[in-house]
Amino acid sequence: MIISMPENASAFQSPEFRTPGEAGEFIRALPKAELHLHLEGTIEPVTLASLARSHGVPEPSPDLYRYTDFPGFLQSFKQVCSLLRAPQDYHLVTLRMIERLHRDGVRYAEVYISAGVMLWKNESFLQLFQGICLGAQQGRAKYGVEVRWILDAVRQFGADAAMRVAELAVAHKQEGVIGMGIGGDEKQAPPELFEGVYEYARNQGLRLTAHAGEAAGPESMWGALRVLRAERLGHGVTAEQDPELVKHLARSRVPVDMCPTSNFRTGAISRIEDHPLRRYFDAGMLVSLSTDDPAMFGCDLTSEYMLAHTQFGFTPKELARLAYNSFQASFLSEEEKARYTR
Ligand SMILES: [Zn+2]
């Protein structure tokens, strides 16, 4: 289900573009960074079916990607992870992810790997990550898309498990791991639990992000900022419940990656038109657009930008600003940012 791309030109209303095709071409051609993308959420049903066959287990139900709330989504995510078992599985899905990124005009991506889930499954991160690195290397050679990795801990598995993820991230800094994050059930595990983990990660030179303000309120974002000292936040949908927080984010320019279709599909917002993207942009926050788990949500980065245009009235110039923001919000060095946005 792609909710944002109008089916035909007659339903498409835009003062700037004559057809959805023209708008799509403009968006695709914009050099973009994708900063909030889970490797495990990029796997199309056809790839999942082939993974299942290769492991001799039943193919997942066609309804796997249908859910109406966040717990339902987490269940599906867990099932996807259960089909990822060997380095060659990760090699395949990494390569296909980079094909997707290339189709969307993405030049650079910071991609989450659910290292917390791998450890919980008692798998060898080292071996699986070799499959990922090989896929990334081949993808870069073929498509010119550069990818760096953020290892994601699962909040509800607790601080000790998150510390193992931080240690892994530190151990693989030379192989393209740039940071760590926490995801999962925000209501069950507030940011304060992970203060020591983030302190360790920061001291070891990792860059820090956190999912916050998606399923929980502004207090979760304040905690991520003040206690974890996260440098970037994922989602931040509930920030606007606290005008002081919006002002703080605008002043401090702490970036927030926004994923409107994801927020709608997981029930973080009940109607797409309620999404705060436009209001945050107008308030001066450093927001960029991302897809989160595009295969699971039936979106891609082009359709998210299209949504910004058709639903939230972003002009071509403002769409270009969102693309520019995506590099500014990244963990690239200033020289690298300048090279991508020249
Ligand atoms: Zn996410």
Side-chain angles (χ1 to χ4, degrees):
M1 179 185 73
I2 291 186
I3 57 168
S4 45
M5 186 75 82
E7 293 282 311
N8 55 54
S10 61
F12 179 77
Q13 294 198 345
S14 160
E16 287 92 2
F17 301 111
R18 276 168 302 176
T19 63
E22 199 175 290
E25 279 313 303
F26 172 82
I27 290 166
R28 262 180 223 106
L30 279 176
K32 294 176 284 300
E34 163 63 282
L35 304 180
H36 192 129
L37 177 66
H38 298 263
L39 173 62
E40 301 82 359
T42 65
I43 311 172
E44 294 292 344
V46 61
T47 308
L48 278 183
S50 87
L51 289 174
R53 282 194 301 276
S54 75
H55 296 304
V57 297
E59 290 181 20
S61 145
D63 292 335
L64 179 64
Y65 288 166
R66 287 174 196 271
Y67 25 71
T68 50
D69 56 17
F70 198 69
F73 161 72
L74 288 181
Q75 274 310 108
S76 299
F77 194 86
K78 198 171 145 193
Q79 243 187 296
V80 170
C81 290
S82 77
L83 292 168
L84 290 166
R85 301 177 181 187
Q88 56 268 31
D89 301 343
Y90 279 95
H91 170 239
L92 174 72
V93 300
T94 302
L95 202 49
R96 292 203 172 155
M97 173 191 77
I98 294 177
E99 284 166 9
R100 282 189 84 106
L101 291 171
H102 173 68
R103 279 203 301 276
D104 275 329
V106 172
R107 308 289 171 88
Y108 171 74
E110 291 172 0
V111 178
Y112 290 108
I113 301 170
S114 292
V117 176
M118 289 173 173
L119 294 180
W120 174 74
K121 285 161 71 189
N122 268 326
E123 288 169 333
S124 159
F125 176 81
L126 181 64
Q127 282 180 14
L128 301 179
F129 188 56
Q130 280 170 353
I132 292 174
C133 290
L134 182 63
Q137 194 188 330
Q138 292 171 340
R140 186 188 309 114
K142 194 166 177 192
Y143 300 109
V145 179
E146 179 72 27
V147 177
R148 291 183 195 162
W149 309 102
I150 298 171
L151 300 197
D152 209 23
V154 182
R155 308 175 87 113
Q156 60 271 29
F157 294 173
D160 289 346
M163 186 59 100
R164 303 288 88 75
V165 171
E167 288 163 355
L168 276 181
V170 172
H172 293 280
K173 271 168 69 182
Q174 298 307 318
E175 293 125 277
V177 175
I178 46 162
M180 80 159 291
I182 43 172
D185 195 334
E186 200 182 342
K187 281 186 179 147
Q188 267 193 54
E192 288 73 15
L193 283 178
F194 305 96
E195 183 175 8
V197 178
Y198 271 63
E199 192 182 352
Y200 165 79
R202 183 169 49 250
N203 290 338
Q204 296 294 321
L206 290 176
R207 308 300 301 267
L208 305 174
T209 179
H211 287 64
E214 180 186 18
E219 70 289 350
S220 174
M221 296 184 72
W222 281 121
L225 291 168
R226 289 178 171 161
V227 180
L228 304 183
R229 292 163 62 191
E231 301 169 79
R232 194 168 79 215
L233 301 177
H235 296 294
V237 177
T238 60
E240 64 181 349
Q241 293 171 16
D242 179 351
E244 278 309 308
L245 177 55
V246 173
K247 274 191 219 154
H248 173 78
L249 288 164
R251 260 197 314 265
S252 62
R253 302 290 282 167
V254 171
V256 178
D257 358 285
M258 306 227 79
C259 316
T261 300
S262 160
N263 299 145
F264 175 63
R265 293 288 317 275
T266 61
I269 51 169
S270 48
R271 302 182 316 162
I272 197 72
E273 53 267 43
D274 295 337
H275 198 274
L277 170 70
R278 179 86 233 181
R279 294 186 288 282
Y280 289 179
F281 183 86
D282 289 346
M285 281 170 54
L286 179 51
V287 290
S288 64
L289 276 176
S290 278
T291 56
D292 206 5
D293 301 282
M296 303 182 75
F297 298 134
C299 64
D300 58 30
L301 198 54
T302 303
S303 69
E304 293 301 290
Y305 275 73
M306 185 69 93
L307 186 67
H309 176 60
T310 55
Q311 183 69 51
F312 302 110
F314 279 69
T315 63
K317 201 171 161 192
E318 289 172 332
L319 294 173
R321 168 58 66 170
L322 287 173
Y324 177 81
N325 284 356
S326 67
F327 290 102
Q328 293 306 313
S330 73
F331 294 144
L332 289 165
S333 68
E334 292 307 315
E335 298 76 53
E336 290 169 311
K337 286 179 189 175
R339 185 157 51 79
Y340 278 109
T341 54
R342 198 154 32 214

